[in-house]
Amino acid sequence: MGFSTDCIHAGQEPEPHTGAVTIPIYQTSTYVQPELGRHKGYEYARTQNPTRAALEANIAAIERGKHGHCFASGMSAIDVVFRLLKSGDHVVAGENMYGGSYRLFNRVLEKFGLQFTYVDTSSVDAVRNAIRDNTKVVYLETPTNPMMTITDLAACAEVAHAHGALVVVDNTFCSPFLQRPIELGADIVLHSTTKFLNGHSDSVGGVVVSNSDEIAEQIGFLQNAVGAILSPFDSWLVLRGIKTLAVRMKRHEENGIAMASFLANQPKVKKLYYPGLPDHPQHALAKRQMNGFGSMISFDLGSKENAKKFLDRVRLCSLAESLGGVETLISHPESMTHGSVPLEMRTRLGITPGLVRISVGIEDIEDLIADLENAFDGV
Ligand SMILES: *Cc1c(COP(=O)(O)O)cnc(C)c1O
């Protein structure tokens, strides 16, 4: 089936008792067993829940994978993936990734003996050179947050697989509408469903998708053993959100391109980062690898003072962490999402005090531009 059809129908058989077209919220902790040793496939709700199962099947289908497992947050999804490893294993990860992922690696997982090397994954050679005998995972995000650097997923997968390492891609920034890493060779794709998949800024969740029965079995084991599952209500919200993923993403894309063109002509913008612009250094790769460029844009206003004046004047755009909602969210990576990244690393990556990131929503673009024009007047 096509992508939009799968968004609406995959994993969602009508409810068997009444024929209800939407999957009910199975708000139960356990299930009656008709006799000892016999049950209907449901024993206890940490292990199985029909609402969550519907969402897991749905996301697996739209990522073009076979299996999905949902978690209480994007971070818990990432955490579970690393529980596939053991003390002494090594990971090559992007140096510019979601700040919370860096914090998990650096301040939690290292304590358990996992080793991390951070490289600029836009260079396939840098990835290759960082691989060691004990490298088990190559961990990628593309475009990166907030610098919008693109990594060649197919080329990195080839390098990783030649060394027997798994390729794990955090696809949160794109959603499967814009990019499907499994088709490019990734072994595991994960998301914070909090962002584009749910799309309405009213739920926190995560998902792990893979194509391999063996990996899925281990993730399923960990989901039950560790227990950070997505609740039935949140599962239902994300299912509801995904029904409109394709139409939302088309509009995000349209607004993203219009916003980037507006910013490109704004003299107070010192630097602009958006892979949809022909002068982005990796525009050609983005065009080849993605089905569009999305609505995440970063721009540099030159100083913290300018960024503050600008951010204090926006009215329609909300100054907030997070991204991927229907409403436009604007943020200051240095002090908000990337506060936990060391200063030296932030500076090297370009996460300067003047950097602003915008997640362009699906409002009328004229209203968004008018809001930003007004904010620029104060800079
Ligand atoms: C938000 C985000 C996460 C973390 O997800 P939560 O749902 O907030 O736990 C991980 N990766 C990326 C790219 C994100 O944007």
Side-chain angles (χ1 to χ4, degrees):
M1 292 285 175
F3 186 83
S4 305
T5 307
D6 275 344
C7 282
I8 296 163
H9 294 285
Q12 302 187 69
E13 295 300 320
E15 187 269 329
H17 298 295
T18 63
V21 293
T22 47
I23 304 290
I25 302 168
Y26 285 89
Q27 191 68 28
T28 186
S29 62
T30 190
Y31 310 88
V32 171
Q33 307 188 8
E35 60 183 71
L36 192 62
R38 198 159 68 84
H39 58 76
K40 300 177 171 176
Y42 295 95
E43 296 149 279
Y44 183 63
R46 167 162 33 78
T47 324
Q48 310 105 346
N49 179 281
T51 318
R52 194 179 84 218
L55 175 63
E56 292 174 337
N58 177 266
I59 301 180
I62 62 176
E63 268 296 357
R64 303 299 184 234
K66 259 168 80 180
H67 307 279
H69 291 92
C70 286
F71 296 90
S73 67
M75 289 321 302
S76 59
I78 298 170
D79 177 60
V80 150
V81 166
F82 285 95
R83 288 173 195 252
L84 296 171
L85 305 190
K86 59 180 187 328
S87 175
D89 286 346
H90 176 248
V91 176
V92 176
E95 62 179 357
N96 169 205
M97 59 184 162
Y98 180 67
S101 306
Y102 179 75
R103 179 176 55 198
L104 173 70
F105 297 172
N106 189 243
R107 297 191 43 197
V108 182
L109 297 178
E110 277 192 6
K111 284 197 303 192
F112 294 91
L114 294 190
Q115 302 162 12
F116 292 87
T117 302
Y118 303 99
V119 299
D120 173 2
T121 57
S122 69
S123 156
V124 182
D125 284 336
V127 172
R128 187 183 293 111
N129 293 338
I131 288 181
R132 305 181 192 157
D133 290 345
N134 58 341
T135 303
K136 295 290 154 60
V137 163
V138 173
Y139 187 86
L140 305 168
E141 258 181 52
T142 176
T144 57
N145 171 14
M147 302 314 296
M148 311 297 159
T149 308
I150 312 291
T151 290
D152 187 333
L153 292 177
C156 286
E158 212 179 299
V159 166
H161 291 157
H163 291 83
L166 293 177
V167 175
V168 179
V169 179
D170 180 342
N171 202 28
T172 302
F173 246 48
C174 285
S175 89
F177 179 87
L178 287 181
Q179 179 167 276
R180 291 193 279 278
I182 287 176
E183 293 179 342
L184 300 167
D187 301 284
I188 294 176
V189 174
L190 59 87
H191 286 269
S192 164
T193 60
T194 315
K195 317 295 167 55
F196 288 103
L197 285 175
N198 182 55
H200 293 73
S201 305
D202 52 13
S203 158
V204 172
V207 67
V208 176
V209 177
S210 94
N211 232 349
S212 139
D213 297 341
E214 198 191 321
I215 292 173
E217 203 207 310
Q218 293 175 56
I219 298 286
F221 167 80
L222 288 166
Q223 183 188 43
N224 184 49
V226 180
I229 49 162
L230 191 64
S231 76
F233 182 58
D234 284 287
S235 298
W236 183 84
L237 280 174
V238 181
L239 270 172
R240 188 177 202 262
I242 290 176
K243 287 185 209 288
T244 56
L245 180 65
V247 287
R248 282 189 285 113
M249 291 308 293
K250 278 183 195 141
R251 174 64 170 238
H252 276 299
E253 174 80 11
E254 250 174 62
N255 279 1
I257 288 172
M259 180 61 81
S261 328
F262 162 73
L263 292 168
N265 293 311
Q266 171 52 250
K268 288 167 184 164
V269 170
K270 308 282 181 242
K271 273 189 187 155
L272 179 58
Y273 305 92
Y274 181 64
L277 293 170
D279 62 358
H280 184 286
Q282 296 160 298
H283 177 67
L285 171 59
K287 205 167 170 175
R288 189 169 82 231
Q289 176 166 280
M290 301 165 67
N291 309 309
F293 305 104
S295 58
M296 298 302 302
I297 305 172
S298 297
F299 51 98
D300 205 315
L301 295 178
S303 69
K304 175 108 179 215
E305 200 193 348
N306 284 349
K308 181 166 167 46
K309 281 187 196 148
F310 178 80
L311 291 169
D312 287 349
R313 278 178 72 103
V314 292
R315 282 202 206 96
L316 178 60
C317 303
S318 312
L319 174 62
E321 297 206 9
S322 198
L323 59 105
V326 290
E327 59 287 280
T328 297
L329 300 176
I330 197 157
S331 71
H332 184 246
E334 191 223 22
S335 64
M336 296 167 75
T337 48
H338 289 68
S340 55
V341 176
L343 174 65
E344 171 278 317
M345 195 161 173
R346 281 203 306 259
T347 311
R348 180 157 46 84
L349 297 175
I351 306 174
T352 58
L355 194 72
V356 171
R357 187 192 77 184
I358 183 164
S359 166
V360 184
I362 63 172
E363 299 96 334
D364 291 302
I365 188 68
E366 300 75 21
D367 293 334
L368 294 175
I369 288 180
D371 191 40
L372 292 198
E373 263 172 345
N374 178 59
F376 276 122
D377 285 346
V379 176

